Amino acid sequence: MLVFGWLAALMIVLISALIYLHPRVLDWYVNVHVGLLLLPIASAFFGWIYSGAEIKAGPWRFDTISWMMAVYISTLGFIIQRFSIRYLHGDRVYRLYFLFLTWTTGSAASTWMTDDLRLFSICWAMPLFGLVFLTALKKEWRPAKAEAVQMGTMFFVSSLAVCAVSVWLFHATGEWKLSGALSTDKLSHLKWWETAGISLLLILAAIIPAGQWPFHRWLLESAATPTPVSAVMHAGLVNAGGLLLWHFSPLFTDTVTHALLLLIAFISVMIGTGVSFVQVDYKRQLVASTMAQMGMMLIQCALGAYEAAVIHLILHGFFKATLFLQSGSAVPRPGHSAQTLVHKKGHRFVGTMLGLALGFGFWSVSPEEPARLLSALLLGSSMTIAWSRFALFREGRWLGLALAAILAFISEEVRSGLMAMLHKVEASHFAPPLALEWFAFILFIVFSLALTQFFKHRSSGVAARFYMRLVHFSEPSLPAVERHPYYLHAYLKEEKTHE
């Protein structure tokens, strides 16, 4: 009944989106359609709470993580489409947006409920190309058209890699069932070069939708998409890479592939962080931040902390969707000036000491935490940055710090609950060597020290060249920009023709 309820809810919302395409259907029906989006959320939530054990029905498999991801993706879809009712109103293809948004989020949620390699390959491609269609809806605008072509090419390579993995696994194990092909008995018969080859294909398929180096250009140039499309892209589809690696984690038992993924992700973190510092466009800052955050998620996967990576992508998704949907508030309003900041001596030292104390304390009391050295580093650096920001304000400093502490406590409780829940889901028990985690720790320390030196000597020739290099690197290509909105001229010309 739970499985039937979920599939029926998906069919209802998809049929509703198709009904709204008919020109005789009145505009107020969009509110009915968005209201119907609560059905997949409710059915997935009931499945999450009441399913108990794993459910298999034909090519479908429902477990804790698949129900949880269905709730997460369906909730994001509802929020974004609710926002789009007014934001996109008046657009020439207004109704098509709701169809493709429904298609994209529904197929993305279904991907993690499949237990057939053939169906998984199809479901993997469906939301990616749904995003391409959403980007291409502004066909009169040259940058959107160029970005859709670039995205389509990248996503085709990713989909092709997943198809190759499915076919390879079938020929190697004789199983189309995903759970059967990834069983310990079947994987034990794979030769080392087969495991390495499949792992490399999975890494390729994962880093492309995550916008990682060297396939990051499509993500950096995606700022041309409308805000709701950017929200569903950065809060949902870029996270698919981490879930793909989680799904096939029993295959990742080679330290070399973990190290390769770590290096790719770390380079992406450096590029994304650097671009977010030098870009003045708020939307491009968010895009670069997504690239860096996805790099952090894949580093967690490279260190075997798949549960932490899944929790990271969920919390980051809601956070990034909020930033995109509220991006208009980043523009300062007339008559409102920023609060005066006062620098005080010693506040950086205090923040550093607090960060060290918090990071070391976390590392000491949580020996069971996956990738706890990296987690302690991130927690300590977050504390240092938070203190350095609050210490600058003349008023409301302690109130802001207390509020941040309360929110951090709530976030930790949510993370602990999700972690305990994900521990019940079967995943890879392979743990990369501790040396790999120390290697990641040293890389981040060196990167942080290098950034600090650049900020201290920002007028030096090396810092200037590095700055200009990042600016040049983050700027879109010529086909992805348009100095004059020619598509508006095309709209006016077409309207005059009809008159």
Side-chain angles (χ1 to χ4, degrees):
M1 290 180 64
L2 292 173
V3 174
F4 175 77
W6 162 253
L7 296 176
L10 282 185
M11 291 301 299
I12 289 172
V13 296
L14 185 58
I15 292 172
S16 173
L18 290 171
I19 291 173
Y20 187 54
L21 279 183
H22 198 282
R24 292 190 177 181
V25 177
L26 299 179
D27 283 342
W28 58 263
Y29 182 79
V30 69
N31 295 284
V32 177
H33 168 70
V34 173
L36 290 175
L37 293 175
L38 293 172
L39 292 177
I41 300 175
S43 60
F45 182 76
F46 278 112
W48 188 13
I49 298 299
Y50 295 109
S51 63
E54 181 181 85
I55 303 174
K56 291 185 178 180
W60 306 98
R61 182 181 63 176
F62 298 79
D63 55 16
T64 301
I65 191 169
S66 62
W67 286 121
M68 183 174 68
M69 294 311 302
V71 172
Y72 162 68
I73 296 172
S74 301
T75 303
L76 276 180
F78 170 76
I79 294 171
I80 292 170
Q81 292 202 44
R82 188 73 183 86
F83 174 84
S84 303
I85 292 177
R86 292 187 61 186
Y87 185 88
L88 294 174
H89 193 265
D91 195 284
R92 289 162 56 87
V93 288
Y94 180 72
R95 300 178 182 229
L96 277 174
Y97 275 107
F98 292 94
L99 172 63
F100 285 121
L101 284 171
T102 304
W103 169 275
T104 302
T105 54
S107 56
S110 302
T111 303
W112 314 111
M113 295 179 170
T114 58
D115 193 35
D116 186 273
L117 288 169
R118 294 161 294 188
L119 183 59
F120 181 83
S121 301
I122 296 172
C123 290
W124 174 263
M126 285 166 57
L128 295 180
F129 286 98
L131 183 60
V132 174
F133 294 143
L134 282 168
T135 306
L137 286 179
K138 286 284 187 184
K139 60 182 179 180
E140 300 88 354
W141 194 27
R142 187 175 60 186
K145 187 177 180 180
E147 173 63 11
V149 171
Q150 186 178 26
M151 288 170 57
T153 304
M154 291 292 98
F155 293 164
F156 177 76
V157 174
S158 178
S159 302
L160 199 62
V162 172
C163 289
V165 167
S166 300
V167 174
W168 197 340
L169 269 178
F170 170 72
H171 282 285
T173 63
E175 286 275 358
W176 281 118
K177 288 284 186 182
L178 183 61
S179 55
L182 296 180
S183 63
T184 306
D185 179 59
K186 294 291 184 180
L187 293 179
S188 63
H189 294 89
L190 292 180
K191 298 179 177 63
W192 69 268
W193 61 268
E194 290 181 309
T195 303
I198 295 174
S199 299
L200 290 176
L201 285 173
L202 287 171
I203 290 176
L204 175 65
I207 64 176
I208 288 177
Q212 300 296 281
W213 178 87
F215 306 101
H216 57 283
R217 291 305 307 176
W218 78 264
L219 184 62
L220 291 181
E221 295 181 358
S222 64
T225 57
T227 296
V229 179
S230 297
V232 77
M233 179 194 306
H234 291 264
L237 294 186
V238 295
N239 298 315
L243 286 171
L244 179 70
L245 296 180
W246 161 284
H247 224 50
F248 289 87
S249 58
L251 277 167
F252 287 90
T253 56
D254 183 37
T255 305
V256 176
T257 55
H258 282 260
L260 176 63
L261 179 62
L262 173 64
L263 287 175
I264 293 173
F266 181 75
I267 293 173
S268 303
V269 170
M270 289 194 299
I271 295 174
T273 304
V275 169
S276 65
F277 282 153
V278 303
Q279 270 292 337
V280 295
D281 183 86
Y282 181 68
K283 202 170 182 182
R284 295 193 185 278
Q285 289 177 1
L286 294 181
V287 170
S289 168
T290 297
M291 181 180 177
Q293 289 291 335
M294 292 303 99
M296 287 301 307
M297 179 191 66
L298 293 180
I299 287 175
Q300 291 171 319
C301 293
L303 298 178
Y306 294 103
E307 297 94 341
V310 172
I311 295 172
H312 184 169
L313 71 89
I314 292 175
L315 298 181
H316 168 262
F318 282 117
F319 172 67
K320 192 55 64 72
T322 303
L323 290 181
F324 269 103
L325 297 183
Q326 293 292 329
S327 58
S329 61
V331 181
R333 291 177 294 171
H336 291 262
S337 58
Q339 187 177 359
T340 304
L341 302 180
V342 180
H343 293 266
K344 283 196 173 185
K345 295 181 180 180
H347 72 269
R348 290 183 180 176
F349 175 78
V350 175
T352 303
M353 292 298 102
L354 287 174
L356 286 173
L358 183 60
F360 182 76
F362 177 83
W363 181 84
S364 302
V365 302
S366 56
E368 76 289 344
E369 183 75 19
R372 63 170 179 154
L373 188 61
L374 182 62
S375 299
L377 176 63
L378 295 177
L379 190 62
S381 59
S382 299
M383 180 64 198
T384 301
I385 294 171
W387 174 262
S388 65
R389 295 296 181 267
F390 285 120
L392 294 176
F393 287 93
R394 178 179 297 172
E395 298 177 356
R397 180 190 314 161
W398 295 106
L399 179 61
L401 187 62
L403 180 61
I406 294 172
L407 293 175
F409 175 77
I410 295 173
S411 177
E412 175 59 22
E413 288 297 312
V414 172
R415 189 197 70 86
S416 299
L418 292 175
M419 185 70 76
M421 187 179 302
L422 292 176
H423 272 310
K424 302 175 182 178
V425 181
E426 292 185 6
S428 173
H429 298 290
F430 174 78
L434 187 60
L436 192 62
E437 188 174 349
W438 274 102
F439 179 63
F441 179 82
I442 293 171
L443 284 177
F444 276 104
I445 292 295
V446 172
F447 178 54
S448 302
L449 292 176
L451 278 183
T452 303
Q453 291 302 313
F454 277 121
F455 278 114
K456 284 184 178 180
H457 305 90
R458 62 184 67 185
S459 59
S460 65
V462 176
R465 285 193 294 270
F466 180 68
Y467 175 85
M468 293 306 299
R469 183 64 180 170
L470 283 175
V471 171
H472 175 72
F473 190 79
S474 61
E475 288 299 313
S477 58
L478 288 178
V481 292
E482 195 169 43
R483 289 176 295 177
H484 182 75
Y486 292 104
Y487 70 96
L488 295 179
H489 176 70
Y491 283 171
L492 294 174
K493 185 177 180 180
E494 184 178 345
E495 288 180 2
K496 289 179 180 179
T497 302
H498 285 308
E499 288 177 359

